[in-house]
Amino acid sequence: MLPTIDWQDDAIVMIDQRKLPSKEVWVRCRTATEVARAIKTMVIRGAPAIGVAAAMGIALGMRRSKATGTKALTTEFQRTCDMMAATRPTAVNLFWAIDRMQRSFAARAHDGGSVDDIRAALEAEARAIHDEDVASCRAMGRFGAEFVPDGARILTHCNAGALATAGYGSALGVIRAAVEAGKRVSVLADETRPFLQGARLTAWELVRDGIDTTVITDNMAGALMRQGLIDLVVVGADRIAANGDFANKIGTYSVAVLAKEHGIPLYVAAPISTVDLATPDGEHIPIEERPAKEVTHVGTTRLTPEGAKIRNPAFDVTPHRYLTAIFTERGVCQAPFTESLRRVAAQHD
Ligand code: MRU
């Protein structure tokens, strides 16, 4: 399976997603600060992968800490959690993972654990978050594959694949599970300006898996829908509000409106860690504004004239009325989403 992030000796290694597909370069992070920088600069990206990286980064930071007493470790731990929380604001998986690490720290410290006990507990928690994410992807993939007809032509936006998770993928997990179930599918991958996650990452993953893949620019989806060439849309999410409104890569909203206009189902595949019941609706989801350079340049080539103002909101919000169903690792949520999301989130709690 495609490795996204892993431990290697005393470091965390991750494939540099800024360089794919032209170069397969592995970045070695030796400190929590290096992990935080890797998240911010999108060496690693995708909501679940960001959460996994933050948890592993926190565990790494505490392993490297010189603190000899619980009090000093607590101060350093909190500082490290705050640094991770400041990396990217939209994907709630980041805050979910930090919260899990905080609860693990507090439980061990409360039990009178030594500094070494706390370090070991944090490392175990980070490993659990990593492994559970892969298992969640496989489970949501199986649920979602039921909704994929044989011969389906599937549109996806951005990259919600193995690279965006600890492995296997959410939206691409659904596609992989459909293929594993013997269905013939073909995928249309939106290029996904400005960072080109679709053209670079989704296409790279699917071609590696031998899945029929066609890259289109973002403005082609409507015409292809009108010609009857798209049967369903499946995407990931960075945060799903309590009412089912969801944030995902900029451009998802346009795809959703087009899909509704053409009577094409729109599915979201996302783990429970993406569901944020504390956020009532999409209006309350913070949207990250990224550096202008991602829009003005492709690589080192400038596209826009000096002096033109630039907007670069990295995500948009799709209201739940455009959504057909959400595939989670605990089952399928359908309207009314307020109830179905609350039900799946409450399971096992
Ligand atoms: O800015 P990115 O690349 O981190 O945005 C990623 C997305 O929008 C994904 O669709 C989302 O995180 C779901 S990934 C399983």
Side-chain angles (χ1 to χ4, degrees):
M1 196 174 68
L2 186 63
T4 309
I5 179 166
D6 210 349
W7 295 99
Q8 201 179 73
D9 306 324
D10 247 13
I12 294 168
V13 289
M14 46 184 94
I15 194 160
D16 190 340
Q17 300 193 27
R18 300 166 307 179
K19 306 255 164 62
L20 288 171
S22 46
K23 285 189 194 136
E24 293 182 25
V25 178
W26 291 85
V27 171
R28 218 176 145 76
C29 298
R30 290 172 190 80
T31 64
T33 305
E34 286 178 7
V35 174
R37 198 175 307 126
I39 295 171
K40 208 174 175 68
T41 58
M42 291 172 69
V43 171
I44 189 162
R45 32 65 51 202
I50 291 170
V52 170
M56 291 170 69
I58 291 167
L60 177 69
M62 294 309 99
R63 195 201 279 181
R64 286 290 167 99
S65 159
K66 299 212 166 27
T68 50
T70 315
K71 194 156 176 259
L73 192 73
T74 306
T75 308
E76 209 174 324
F77 174 75
Q78 202 40 58
R79 220 178 14 236
T80 306
C81 290
D82 292 347
M83 174 176 69
M84 290 298 171
T87 52
R88 298 195 69 192
T90 304
V92 76
N93 312 61
L94 172 68
F95 306 98
W96 169 90
I98 293 170
D99 185 57
R100 262 186 75 162
M101 296 301 279
Q102 282 172 326
R103 279 191 278 133
S104 169
F105 188 107
R108 212 74 199 95
H110 183 262
D111 289 349
S114 67
V115 162
D116 281 345
D117 290 339
I118 295 170
R119 286 191 178 114
L122 290 174
E123 204 162 311
E125 190 69 6
R127 284 184 193 279
I129 288 172
H130 178 285
D131 296 351
E132 286 167 26
D133 188 59
V134 179
S136 294
C137 286
R138 289 196 175 272
M140 78 182 83
R142 282 191 294 273
F143 284 119
E146 299 286 320
F147 290 72
V148 177
D150 188 30
R153 295 155 303 174
I154 305 169
L155 177 71
T156 190
H157 190 73
C158 192
N159 171 266
L163 290 166
T165 60
Y168 199 69
S170 57
L172 298 195
V174 170
I175 293 167
R176 288 191 166 103
V179 170
E180 284 164 21
K183 294 178 184 174
R184 289 159 301 142
V185 302
S186 56
V187 179
L188 287 155
D190 269 347
E191 176 186 41
T192 318
R193 278 279 292 155
F195 204 70
L196 304 176
Q197 289 95 330
R200 298 188 302 104
L201 308 177
T202 294
W204 183 73
E205 279 195 31
L206 294 178
V207 166
R208 267 173 67 113
D209 277 9
I211 296 173
D212 182 327
T213 304
T214 305
V215 176
I216 58 170
T217 63
D218 298 336
N219 48 3
M220 293 176 185
L224 295 181
M225 286 182 186
R226 202 164 124 78
Q227 291 168 53
L229 297 175
I230 296 174
D231 300 303
L232 65 97
V233 180
V234 62
V235 294
D238 284 80
R239 193 185 292 235
I240 302 172
N243 71 344
D245 295 354
F246 69 98
N248 192 48
K249 180 51 53 192
I250 191 76
T252 304
Y253 172 60
S254 316
V255 170
V257 173
L258 285 166
K260 193 163 188 80
E261 170 68 18
H262 294 92
I264 296 167
L266 168 72
Y267 301 112
V268 162
I272 299 295
S273 55
T274 305
V275 177
D276 179 14
L277 295 183
T279 296
D281 54 45
E283 296 304 305
H284 292 85
I285 299 177
I287 300 295
E288 176 184 11
E289 184 89 21
R290 289 198 55 86
K293 192 150 188 254
E294 290 176 1
V295 175
T296 56
H297 287 70
V298 170
T300 52
T301 307
R302 190 176 182 99
L303 302 176
T304 59
E306 298 281 359
K309 288 192 273 183
I310 302 295
R311 286 293 316 273
N312 188 14
F315 302 96
D316 58 26
V317 170
T318 299
H320 62 87
R321 67 175 180 280
Y322 293 102
L323 190 49
T324 310
I326 302 171
F327 310 134
T328 77
E329 69 273 38
R330 295 183 195 160
V332 178
C333 296
Q334 281 167 319
F337 290 104
T338 306
E339 283 162 33
S340 57
L341 285 169
R342 201 182 312 125
R343 209 167 36 243
V344 291
Q347 282 172 34
H348 307 291
D349 271 3

